[in-house]
Amino acid sequence: MIVRQILEKARDGERITDDEAVDLLQSRDLVAIGRAAHELRNRKADPTRITFIVDRNLNYTNICYTDCDFCAFYRSPGDTREGYLLPKPIIFKKIEETLALGGTGLLMQGGHHPDLGIDYYEDLFRSIKARYPIHLHALSPPEVQHIARRSKLTIPQTLACATRASTHSPAAAARSSSTGYGRSSRRRKRSPTSG
């Protein structure tokens, strides 16, 4: 089905299929898709009012053994000069800063740290949820795969543990966990400011 037909279907109030959604995602007709999305949003909400959320991305570690093209800032295990694993007090301070600015969400992602298993994440997520009223959105699909391997769990078990500990969403993890991340790249990447 071509993009125009899919957009007309949506404009007519019909639900599009998963395959049609994929067609839209793969389409290069972003202007038409954006216009249709704007039109549909205006039908469902006051067109003069637009809302947003304030959240923060927090990279709790940059230590990673994967060495993939996905990341721009990893450091190899053992890099004591630029590698980091943020301690809880620093993570808590960043959450407090976020809340002080009106933030409601925290996206936590890091590297494939060789020493961190599911116990680390369960403890961290529970500690955050016990202290702060913030929506926790954590772990990418490759992180979930890594944690599952490291902890000798299945991916569903790992997701269940992370979800129970956080009471919110283990991020993009619920999406495809076989996304092809991890292709080797040997170029050195730059270190960001953490979180």
Side-chain angles (χ1 to χ4, degrees):
M1 186 176 279
I2 62 173
V3 170
R4 184 176 49 78
Q5 292 171 316
I6 297 170
L7 296 179
E8 283 306 314
K9 180 179 177 181
R11 282 186 176 107
D12 290 342
E14 293 180 57
R15 186 157 186 89
I16 65 172
T17 67
D18 289 349
D19 288 339
E20 290 168 338
V22 169
D23 287 342
L24 292 179
L25 285 171
Q26 293 175 341
S27 167
R28 295 179 181 261
D29 198 355
L30 297 179
V31 173
I33 294 168
R35 284 186 178 138
H38 182 67
E39 178 185 324
L40 292 169
R41 186 197 73 81
N42 285 342
R43 287 186 203 170
K44 294 181 181 273
D46 178 353
T48 64
R49 183 173 178 182
I50 297 173
T51 62
F52 60 93
I53 63 165
V54 176
D55 67 358
R56 180 176 197 160
N57 289 3
L58 196 154
N59 299 316
Y60 58 91
T61 186
N62 69 344
I63 297 170
C64 185
Y65 69 81
T66 303
D67 192 23
C68 66
D69 289 331
F70 178 73
C71 167
F73 68 92
Y74 83 94
R75 291 295 177 259
S76 296
D79 184 336
T80 57
R81 191 170 65 83
E82 292 183 330
Y84 66 84
L85 173 62
L86 296 180
K88 280 185 187 177
I90 300 293
I91 292 171
F92 295 162
K93 181 177 183 281
K94 290 177 180 291
I95 293 169
E96 290 162 7
E97 292 167 356
T98 303
L99 292 169
L101 294 170
T104 59
L106 183 69
L107 172 63
M108 293 187 68
Q109 291 186 310
H112 300 171
H113 196 297
D115 300 331
L116 303 181
I118 192 64
D119 293 345
Y120 168 83
Y121 296 96
E122 287 177 307
D123 176 64
L124 178 62
F125 298 162
R126 281 191 182 107
S127 297
I128 290 169
K129 295 309 297 181
R131 288 170 177 75
Y132 304 106
I134 196 158
H135 181 84
L136 185 58
H137 189 68
L139 307 177
S140 66
E143 286 174 289
V144 171
Q145 286 180 320
H146 165 72
I147 295 164
R149 279 192 302 269
R150 169 73 175 71
S151 303
K152 296 180 176 41
L153 297 171
T154 66
I155 288 174
Q157 290 170 325
T158 304
L159 288 170
C161 290
T163 301
R164 274 193 308 273
S166 70
T167 70
H168 285 121
S169 58
R175 293 180 290 198
S176 169
S177 58
S178 58
T179 55
Y181 295 126
R183 216 173 17 178
S184 181
S185 168
R186 296 292 167 219
R187 70 176 187 273
R188 190 69 177 155
K189 298 173 183 173
R190 300 165 72 112
S191 179
T193 57
S194 58

